[in-house]
C-alpha cells in the first residue's frame, strides 16, 4: 500500500472537510492510497472532537511549523521560531569568514 507523506487540505466549512475526507478515502480503491485517520488532524476553532473519525485540535504541526488557531499564540510561536532560527544561524556563522557574512 502506498502512502502520501504530507497533505494539507483547507476549508472554512465542515461539510467540505467531510467531502474531502470521503474523496481521499475513495482513492484507496483506485490508486491504493489510504488516509491514515489516526495520524491526521483537523485544525478548528469549533468545539467538536472529531470530524469523519479525524481528531480536531487547536494546534497542528505541518512540515515542522506549528500552526495555531489562536492568533496571539500563533504570533508568539512564530516569533519564538524566528529567534531560534536566527540564533542557530548566528552560532553556525560565528567562525565564518567576514566576506561570507
Amino acid at each position: 500500500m502506498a502512502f502520501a507523506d504530507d497533505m494539507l487540505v483547507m476549508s472554512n466549512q465542515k461539510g467540505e472537510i467531510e467531502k474531502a475526507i470521503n474523496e481521499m478515502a475513495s482513492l484507496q480503491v483506485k490508486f491504493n492510497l489510504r488516509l491514515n485517520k489516526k495520524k491526521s488532524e483537523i485544525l478548528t476553532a469549533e468545539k467538536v472532537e472529531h470530524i469523519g473519525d479525524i481528531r480536531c485540535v487547536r494546534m497542528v504541526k505541518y512540515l515542522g511549523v506549528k500552526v495555531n488557531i489562536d492568533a496571539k499564540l500563533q504570533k508568539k510561536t512564530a516569533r519564538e521560531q524566528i529567534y531560534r532560527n536566527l540564533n542557530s544561524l548566528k552560532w553556525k556563522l560565528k567562525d565564518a569568514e567576514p566576506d561570507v557574512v
Side-chain angles (χ1 to χ4, degrees):
M1 187 169 292
F3 296 94
D5 289 339
D6 290 308
M7 181 183 297
L8 176 67
V9 177
M10 297 176 66
S11 175
N12 290 329
Q13 298 179 359
K14 181 181 175 185
E16 286 183 2
I17 293 292
E18 290 171 333
K19 184 178 177 183
I21 291 168
N22 292 334
E23 289 288 326
M24 285 186 267
S26 72
L27 296 176
Q28 183 171 356
V29 174
K30 188 172 182 180
F31 299 104
N32 202 26
L33 293 172
R34 185 177 67 87
L35 173 64
N36 189 338
K37 292 182 179 181
K38 291 179 182 178
K39 289 185 177 182
S40 299
E41 296 175 318
I42 296 173
L43 179 67
T44 183
E46 301 295 322
K47 303 250 188 258
V48 294
E49 291 187 20
H50 292 86
I51 296 175
D53 294 330
I54 297 177
R55 184 171 57 114
C56 294
V57 296
R58 298 183 58 79
M59 190 279 301
V60 296
K61 197 169 188 180
Y62 181 69
L63 298 176
V65 177
K66 291 180 183 177
V67 180
N68 200 304
I69 201 73
D70 181 282
K72 282 186 177 182
L73 190 52
Q74 181 62 37
K75 286 180 184 179
K76 179 181 181 254
T77 302
R79 191 176 307 117
E80 289 171 355
Q81 186 64 50
I82 289 167
Y83 286 121
R84 196 170 25 253
N85 290 346
L86 284 173
N87 287 332
S88 175
L89 186 59
K90 286 178 187 177
W91 183 82
K92 289 178 182 178
L93 292 174
K94 72 180 186 311
D95 296 327
E97 294 290 327
D99 295 337
V100 175
V101 182

